[in-house]
Amino acid sequence: MPASPRRQAARLRASYTRETPPLAALGIARQDKTNPSLRNNLGLDACTAPQRRLRALLALGMFNHGPTSLWPRQVSLADITRYTIVVSPRHDDLVITTRAPYNVTCWLVGRDNLPQIGLPGLRVETSYDDGWRLRHLPTGASMTVTGDRDGRLQGPPGADSNYSRLWTNDIPVSDEEYATLNTLPRLSPDTETMLAALLVRLCVHAPDGSWDIGMWFHIPTDRPARGHAHHRRLSVEGGQCTLHWDSDPHPQDLHAALTDPVIGLLGATGHPTRDGWLLQYELSRLTAHPAAYRP
């Protein structure tokens, strides 16, 4: 018996995202008979407004790192990409699977002795044996971090953080966290969509090996490394986003991930520039400079 369209779509998505097919299937959008575009049905960019906002905020944290970073905290979120992770976006959740779920969660959520770490307002909602359900209190959006390759949260749920270190839902958002969020640039829905698209493609690759994002800290197979400083600077002004980075991924690979006919951001178009490339999505633009920022 041939596979259902949903299973076919899950296998196709998984071949790009490194998800397992069961994990990918949970993020597949329902078939839209009015718009049969394949990219609409793979579910990478279709999400609620709170999810889109959460992903854009995470992108600002992960794509700012080093001495020229614009992330307004002492600790960025970029170190999450030092771990081997798989990002699995769903309509109302963002799932990260990893062999080190506690380590990843420790970069995402603050705690009493490290209040400057993590995404402001992100909390542990429920703990499991090898995973955490997280809730971003300012937006209400959820995240899941788990060691299970299929995205499951196993074991009895608990209300604490397992290690009694990570902040939980009963700790309100602090004045410092609100101040940090207010320091971040104002983002239009189009700009949030573009930044969210960067985030959910943190570790995608082409099934034929023609391009590979490589998780930003890892060298793609059979490709020379671009550098080891891992400086990143993502700035936003109005609808203009500007990204500098001096290590992996290769610039053409990142462009391919965002414009690929199967896995790219639907409606995004791009072209090369003198020192990088430009991506246009609706009223927002992303200018990519594959070099360290120089004031």
Side-chain angles (χ1 to χ4, degrees):
M1 178 180 295
S4 68
R6 189 178 182 85
R7 288 185 178 180
Q8 291 177 343
R11 290 173 183 169
L12 178 63
R13 169 170 153 162
S15 70
Y16 281 88
T17 61
R18 294 185 167 91
E19 298 167 284
T20 64
L23 178 61
L26 295 171
I28 296 294
R30 294 185 179 276
Q31 190 73 25
D32 184 354
K33 296 181 180 179
T34 65
N35 189 344
S37 167
L38 182 61
R39 282 185 281 182
N40 273 12
N41 296 321
L42 292 186
L44 264 70
D45 303 299
C47 64
T48 64
Q51 263 298 314
R52 184 186 67 213
R53 175 67 175 170
L54 171 63
R55 296 173 190 181
L57 294 175
L58 288 168
L60 288 172
M62 290 192 190
F63 295 109
N64 273 295
H65 185 66
T68 61
S69 166
L70 292 179
W71 182 243
R73 308 200 81 177
Q74 293 178 345
V75 180
S76 75
L77 301 177
D79 284 295
I80 292 170
T81 54
R82 292 184 184 270
Y83 298 93
T84 300
I85 64 174
V86 170
V87 180
S88 180
R90 302 179 189 175
H91 186 255
D92 58 355
D93 196 11
L94 180 66
V95 179
I96 295 177
T97 69
T98 173
R99 290 174 292 184
Y102 180 64
N103 300 51
V104 169
T105 305
C106 282
W107 286 109
L108 288 167
V109 181
R111 45 198 183 273
D112 288 340
N113 61 335
L114 284 173
Q116 76 277 19
I117 208 167
L119 180 68
L122 192 61
R123 301 289 190 264
V124 171
E125 182 173 81
T126 313
S127 295
Y128 295 83
D129 284 348
D130 195 25
W132 286 264
R133 177 83 69 195
L134 309 179
R135 182 73 57 182
H136 188 239
L137 298 184
T139 61
S142 69
M143 284 188 69
T144 300
V145 182
T146 176
D148 184 82
R149 294 182 67 242
D150 292 333
R152 295 168 295 194
L153 290 167
Q154 304 186 59
D160 62 13
S161 62
N162 282 1
Y163 293 81
S164 300
R165 297 176 60 194
L166 304 176
W167 284 344
T168 52
N169 270 7
D170 59 330
I171 299 176
V173 183
S174 68
D175 291 342
E176 185 274 337
E177 289 178 294
Y178 275 125
T180 300
L181 291 173
N182 291 334
T183 300
L184 297 174
R186 297 177 65 88
L187 305 174
S188 69
D190 290 345
T191 301
E192 287 184 353
T193 298
M194 185 176 290
L195 297 182
L198 272 173
L199 179 82
V200 300
R201 291 167 177 81
L202 272 172
C203 48
V204 295
H205 68 140
D208 64 1
S210 57
W211 55 265
D212 193 332
I213 296 301
M215 288 176 278
W216 286 78
F217 268 108
H218 298 265
I219 302 170
T221 304
D222 299 327
R223 300 293 296 274
R226 293 191 62 239
H228 301 284
H230 302 295
H231 295 157
R232 307 173 197 168
R233 177 185 167 98
L234 174 61
S235 61
V236 181
E237 185 173 349
Q240 175 65 51
C241 306
T242 304
L243 176 64
H244 285 82
W245 78 103
D246 62 356
S247 54
D248 294 315
H250 286 249
Q252 62 269 32
D253 290 1
L254 183 58
H255 181 269
L258 290 164
T259 59
D260 184 87
V262 174
I263 208 72
L265 174 62
L266 184 64
T269 58
H271 61 81
T273 63
R274 181 176 57 84
D275 57 352
W277 47 262
L278 174 68
L279 189 79
Q280 178 88 36
Y281 174 75
E282 300 294 344
L283 299 178
S284 291
R285 294 152 57 97
L286 172 66
T287 302
H289 299 288
Y293 176 76
R294 296 286 183 264

